[in-house]
Amino acid sequence: MNDNTKVIVALLAGIAAGAALGILFAPDSGDETRDKLSESLKNLGDSIKETAAKEIDNLVGLKDKVVENIKTKVKGAEEEYQDDLEHA
């Protein structure tokens, strides 16, 4: 996980914690407080899922680039080897 992602996750966790504390100390009834807290936690979970999905996509893209780079280098080495065999 890169630094930007860590900051975003920490920010989202802080916002959720602040919202939860605000809801818990608000003068609402128990049912209303639980509903608000449940909604806040659901939103936090959704945000974390979205961030994780983006990071997974980034890793898949990076993997594809690395694999393609390796294939290109192997192919180049094979061609160079074949050229050396033909000229030997």
Side-chain angles (χ1 to χ4, degrees), residues 22-33:
I23 291 169
L24 289 174
F25 289 106
D28 289 331
S29 71
D31 285 339
E32 291 174 6
T33 300

Side-chain angles (χ1 to χ4, degrees), residues 70-83:
I70 290 171
K71 285 180 180 179
T72 301
K73 289 185 180 192
V74 167
K75 185 176 180 178
E78 287 174 346
E79 290 173 356
E80 186 176 319
Y81 178 73
Q82 288 297 329
D83 286 345

